[in-house]
Amino acid sequence: MSKLLDIEKKYIKEDIPDFQSGDIIKVHIKVGEGKTSRTQIFQGTVIRRRGAGINKTFTLRKISYGIGVERTFPLYSPVIEKIELLSKGKVRRAKLYYLRKRTGKKAKVRKKVTIKNMTK
Amino acid sequence: MNVIKAIIGKKLGMTSIYDENGKAIAVTAIEAGPCIITQIKIDRIDGYNAIQIGFGDVKAKKLNKPIKQHFKNKGIKPKKVLMEVRVNNTKDFKVGDIIKTSVFEKGDVVKVTAISKGKGFTGAMKRYGFSGQPASHGAQYHRALGSTGASSYPSRVFKGKKMAGRHGYKKVSALGLEVVEVNEESNVILVKGSVPGTKGRIVLIQDMGKRRGK
């Protein structure tokens, strides 16, 4: 088993912020266009984290021009350049699929109020 | 020297890695070798040309006398697994040669042979892919194998008729798999896709003489 972990270790990134369902994060994605590549940003609420080891993934949901958009990323994909944690959310479950049925203000996750946030 | 592109290993399990384009690929990790050539079979004596290779150490007292003597005659430490690989020309090989993972490189197309996972006693639908009968429209006969032959002639079921029975645990080869990574230090070969058998099963990797990619 440990030899399998050794193979995965090479691809596992250490510098990923600790984020959970309900948090709002910003993902910098490398997009290749022929020979050149540029960075695209996808920002949204984390509605799910799943998997183990190298196969961990997370799903972001955002409302773009009134239409709900979800995108799933492999957590350790080399395509992801950077993940920024923008705010923590206050949620009571791990999978926020209930957001899909909701619209407007109800489709939002309340922000977690921490001492750090309050001083701002 | 011409090296034999075949190695015995142990299936470690599956995982995924990322290629240079950032694409995830499912791979099977095989802990392969080092193997040793234990016997060379030649056409004149054995009726065919082949190389016998051994893998994994074992205590001599675990073996029976004929096999113990086989290793003793060759002056080789007893090996757990012996397998044969057919070759056209045996001149390039000698007993005691060591085969390491480095005989393979990235991009090689290989065939992996192992005993598949046992499925137990299964029906004809799972075992031979029979279609079965309708699930609905009043059918009361769903997964049975159907007719096994005509009536008064031949008045019997032909031998070899595909029926329910033990499925799996048979020697199977997965063909055309690509070698994705070779690690010489940890003796691990990563092969794209799945390989027959459970984790820990002994597998034989053989080159198919083709290359993929650059």
Side-chain angles (χ1 to χ4, degrees):
Chain A
M1 212 40 213
S2 69
K3 283 211 172 177
L4 268 188
L5 294 178
D6 284 344
I7 299 159
E8 292 183 359
K9 216 187 267 168
K10 210 165 71 185
Y11 297 91
I12 287 176
K13 295 180 212 162
E14 305 283 335
D15 56 345
I16 290 170
D18 179 29
F19 64 88
Q20 289 146 352
S21 286
D23 298 354
I24 294 172
I25 63 169
K26 203 181 203 177
V27 182
H28 297 249
I29 315 144
K30 208 164 35 185
V31 185
E33 293 169 330
K35 275 176 191 162
T36 56
S37 70
R38 61 189 181 84
T39 307
Q40 210 176 52
I41 286 169
F42 194 92
Q43 184 180 331
T45 315
V46 181
I47 63 161
R48 141 174 85 187
R49 284 193 68 161
R50 62 166 292 280
I54 197 173
N55 293 320
K56 278 179 191 157
T57 64
F58 62 93
T59 302
L60 296 186
R61 180 179 172 85
K62 71 168 180 183
I63 306 294
S64 177
Y65 299 103
I67 293 174
V69 177
E70 279 181 23
R71 206 168 156 184
T72 303
F73 300 96
L75 186 61
Y76 298 119
S77 169
V79 168
I80 294 177
E81 283 176 339
K82 200 168 72 173
I83 296 175
E84 277 178 72
L85 179 60
L86 299 180
S87 68
K88 301 288 276 178
K90 191 179 175 189
V91 286
R92 301 178 76 162
R93 40 185 84 9
K95 307 281 156 75
L96 309 181
Y97 301 142
Y98 65 86
L99 291 179
R100 290 171 178 166
K101 282 184 198 151
R102 299 203 177 169
T103 50
K105 205 175 172 186
K106 274 203 144 180
K108 277 193 164 175
V109 171
R110 273 190 293 159
K111 273 184 188 169
K112 201 180 215 170
V113 182
T114 58
I115 295 154
K116 209 175 148 193
N117 286 351
M118 268 160 62
T119 50
K120 264 182 193 171
Chain B
M1 201 190 86
N2 202 351
V3 284
I4 184 166
K5 282 189 121 182
I7 199 165
I8 308 172
K10 197 173 91 177
K11 178 170 166 179
L12 290 176
M14 288 192 75
T15 180
S16 45
I17 61 166
Y18 291 99
D19 68 4
E20 54 274 9
N21 300 323
K23 258 196 155 167
I25 30 180
V27 293
T28 306
I30 298 164
E31 191 181 1
C35 293
I36 189 164
I37 295 182
T38 50
Q39 194 185 350
I40 289 161
K41 298 208 166 180
I42 52 171
D43 197 19
R44 190 166 50 82
I45 298 164
D46 306 288
Y48 59 97
N49 287 325
I51 304 288
Q52 188 190 61
I53 51 179
F55 167 71
D57 291 323
V58 70
K59 278 183 190 160
K61 72 171 183 190
K62 298 253 181 195
L63 301 175
N64 62 22
K65 270 189 178 172
I67 295 196
K68 227 189 278 182
Q69 196 58 38
H70 175 61
F71 288 113
K72 219 173 178 183
N73 290 344
K74 304 287 190 307
I76 292 166
K77 266 180 147 181
K79 295 285 163 192
K80 208 169 194 173
V81 190
L82 291 177
M83 280 184 185
E84 273 182 24
V85 180
R86 286 287 192 103
V87 287
N88 291 329
N89 196 349
T90 55
K91 283 209 179 75
D92 297 328
F93 312 107
K94 65 174 198 295
V95 170
D97 280 355
I98 294 199
I99 305 166
K100 285 193 163 174
T101 47
S102 52
V103 296
F104 289 103
E105 54 182 314
K106 196 182 165 182
D108 281 350
V109 175
V110 295
K111 136 174 140 177
V112 180
T113 310
I115 293 173
S116 62
K117 279 184 182 174
K119 307 286 179 196
F121 192 99
T122 61
M125 277 180 74
K126 192 188 177 86
R127 195 175 180 209
Y128 293 111
F130 285 4
S131 311
Q133 292 77 32
S136 61
H137 294 298
Q140 294 182 336
Y141 196 64
H142 302 296
R143 296 185 61 89
L145 82 161
S147 169
T148 53
S151 178
S152 62
Y153 179 78
S155 282
R156 62 188 172 93
V157 175
F158 287 126
K159 270 192 179 173
K161 172 82 193 92
K162 290 172 180 172
M163 287 183 168
R166 291 259 180 104
H167 182 43
Y169 206 73
K170 249 165 57 183
K171 192 170 155 189
V172 180
S173 294
L175 304 175
L177 304 179
E178 185 186 337
V179 173
V180 182
E181 201 179 297
V182 176
N183 193 330
E184 286 174 44
E185 279 158 42
S186 58
N187 292 323
V188 170
I189 293 180
L190 299 187
V191 165
K192 191 173 173 180
S194 60
V195 156
T198 58
K199 287 175 196 167
R201 192 150 288 170
I202 298 296
V203 300
L204 176 67
I205 311 173
Q206 279 173 278
D207 189 55
M208 290 181 79
K210 286 180 219 158
R211 304 256 319 145
R212 208 161 276 171
K214 290 162 263 168

